[in-house]
Amino acid sequence: RPRVLSGIQPTAGSFHLGNYLGAVRQWVALQETHDAFYMVVDLHAITVPQDPKELRANTRLAAAQLLAAGLDPDRCTLFVQSHVPEHAQLAWVMNCITGFGEASRMTQFKDKSAKQGADRASVGLFTYPILQVADILLYQAHEVPVGEDQRQHIELTRDLATRFNGRFGDTFTLPKPYILKETAKIYDLQDPAVKMSKSASTPKGLINLLDEPKATAKKVKSAVTDTDTVIRYDVAEKPGVSNLLTIYSVLTGTTVPELEEKYAGKGYGALKTDLAEVMVDFVTPFRERTQQYLDDPETLDSILAKGAEKARAVAAETLAQAYERVGFLPAK
Ligand code: AQP
């Protein structure tokens, strides 16, 4: 079976609809066909300040949401990044073969550090993509299911893997991004020109999966569309409506042309009312299942412990090989 690896940050508490449609939904599907490794990336989370107590709680909460979304610990390996020390260890090696200029060109770093003020951004935020490179290479992943915003980091992973292999001998598998066109980028409901994101979206434009379903319905109903009235998928001319159609289509399994036909001659109000209902039907059981996992932290922790053990077995082997290739003297 080909292998996939991906991760999600435990930073915001609730996952948002972009995280789910862009990434987690694919993770669930891929566990059926791939040898799948999924992790809660707490090492990545501390690249920006975190409250320790909240980080711990949010790490469990992220794992609970992944299980609620449909990850099955018998079908995939689910773990917490900091439980596998090899991530930080390989990241150091990869840091040392990355050019400063190369790392400086990562757009996510540029955006995020600009927001914080360049002097206040941590060095960790700067090397975040290189930790991500290590995450992927440790598992010799063939594919990495992510949203469009991560494409550049997967490119960097390929570049660094190629460099390492060239310099030290074949060690790492070159991964490919696994990005589904329809859901590669889910947009803010209030500003369909920008990606839905926990840090950039306005509260009204961001659908958090753990919000009160009623509040979610309200956000859908007040989504920004356009002054036209026709329900048609056209990202350039009608980004707001197109975003709603994408969300509707993916959550219900109805194709976009089917939806266009269903709503021919109807107004935006009808589309939004129906989508609000679809969304409520989706988030209500999701919230309940998440709560069930949170109510049983022992089971949750034991799933994560088993996951870490399985992950470490793979990661340790790759790290040992990389260490040997680089020329580190083995510890006896
Ligand atoms: N709007 C989105 N559309 C599609 N995919 C998305 N992802 C995030 N936003 C969208 C994908 O979700 C996965 C987990 O991402 P993360 O843990 O890196 O979360 P994030 O990047 O912190 O999420 P945000 O909201 O985008 O955070 P900020 O605002 O801090 O940048 C990834 O696969 C990502 O592509």
Side-chain angles (χ1 to χ4, degrees):
R1 280 187 161 201
R3 190 169 280 164
V4 287
L5 173 287
S6 197
I8 187 156
Q9 295 199 66
T11 37
S14 176
F15 292 171
H16 61 69
L17 192 64
N19 297 141
Y20 176 72
L21 294 180
V24 175
R25 195 169 168 277
Q26 280 65 264
W27 299 10
V28 176
L30 289 166
Q31 66 183 344
E32 307 300 337
T33 49
H34 287 63
D35 183 18
F37 288 76
Y38 301 125
M39 57 181 177
V40 179
V41 293
D42 52 352
L43 298 181
H44 285 279
I46 64 161
T47 54
V48 295
Q50 299 293 335
D51 173 76
K53 243 170 132 176
E54 269 177 37
L55 177 60
R56 224 177 326 270
N58 282 339
T59 300
R60 276 215 186 92
L61 180 57
Q65 289 176 87
L66 290 174
L67 292 163
L71 290 191
D72 175 352
D74 292 328
R75 291 193 163 78
C76 71
T77 303
L78 173 63
F79 63 102
V80 173
Q81 189 183 27
S82 66
H83 292 178
V84 181
E86 285 80 3
H87 289 259
Q89 292 174 291
L90 184 63
W92 178 255
V93 175
M94 301 317 287
N95 269 318
C96 295
I97 66 161
T98 308
F100 200 85
E102 191 173 32
S104 309
R105 284 193 290 277
M106 295 296 117
T107 54
Q108 197 179 66
F109 170 73
K110 285 200 266 188
D111 293 348
K112 290 193 176 179
S113 60
K115 248 177 250 157
Q116 288 187 26
D119 283 347
R120 289 176 53 202
S122 71
V123 175
L125 190 68
F126 182 63
T127 62
Y128 180 119
I130 303 159
L131 176 59
Q132 200 175 324
V133 167
D135 297 339
I136 298 166
L137 297 182
L138 270 180
Y139 298 91
Q140 308 284 11
H142 300 94
E143 289 180 290
V144 187
V146 284
E148 181 63 39
D149 57 344
Q150 294 299 322
R151 189 183 289 279
Q152 195 187 29
H153 293 166
I154 315 294
E155 273 308 310
L156 178 71
T157 310
R158 292 176 64 85
D159 289 348
L160 294 182
T162 305
R163 186 172 310 155
F164 188 101
N165 289 348
R167 212 175 274 180
F168 301 109
D170 232 5
T171 308
F172 297 122
T173 303
L174 259 57
K176 286 199 194 93
Y178 180 94
I179 301 175
L180 294 190
K181 206 167 133 245
E182 319 80 83
T183 50
K185 202 166 179 183
I186 301 298
Y187 295 89
D188 186 314
L189 295 193
Q190 285 300 310
D191 183 358
V194 305
K195 138 185 137 143
M196 186 180 287
S197 111
K198 63 176 181 293
S199 60
S201 290
T202 57
K204 275 179 78 184
L206 176 71
I207 302 278
N208 278 318
L209 301 187
L210 296 179
D211 280 355
E212 274 292 325
K214 263 194 204 147
T216 299
K218 211 168 145 197
K219 286 184 194 178
V220 174
K221 288 182 188 162
S222 55
V224 165
T225 45
D226 51 56
T227 52
D228 186 27
T229 53
V230 184
I231 296 175
R232 175 168 53 85
Y233 186 87
D234 179 341
V235 178
E237 296 294 325
K238 303 169 77 67
V241 173
S242 302
N243 193 36
L244 296 180
L245 285 171
T246 299
I247 296 168
Y248 197 149
S249 163
V250 177
L251 287 181
T252 59
T254 320
T255 65
V256 168
E258 279 165 358
L259 289 175
E260 286 171 336
E261 198 176 317
K262 179 173 173 184
Y263 289 98
K266 294 187 185 161
Y268 293 158
L271 173 73
K272 289 183 190 175
T273 305
D274 290 353
L275 178 57
E277 205 177 298
V278 165
M279 200 81 88
V280 168
D281 288 347
F282 171 69
V283 294
T284 305
F286 177 82
R287 291 175 91 214
E288 285 166 8
R289 284 197 298 270
T290 301
Q291 194 52 51
Q292 282 164 10
Y293 284 107
L294 288 177
D295 288 342
D296 185 2
E298 275 172 34
T299 303
L300 191 61
D301 289 354
S302 101
I303 289 172
L304 295 174
K306 278 191 202 125
E309 202 181 315
K310 275 162 69 187
R312 272 202 88 171
V314 177
E317 194 181 323
T318 311
L319 182 76
Q321 214 171 46
Y323 268 23
E324 194 266 327
R325 295 272 153 85
V326 165
F328 290 158
L329 183 68
K332 282 278 185 282

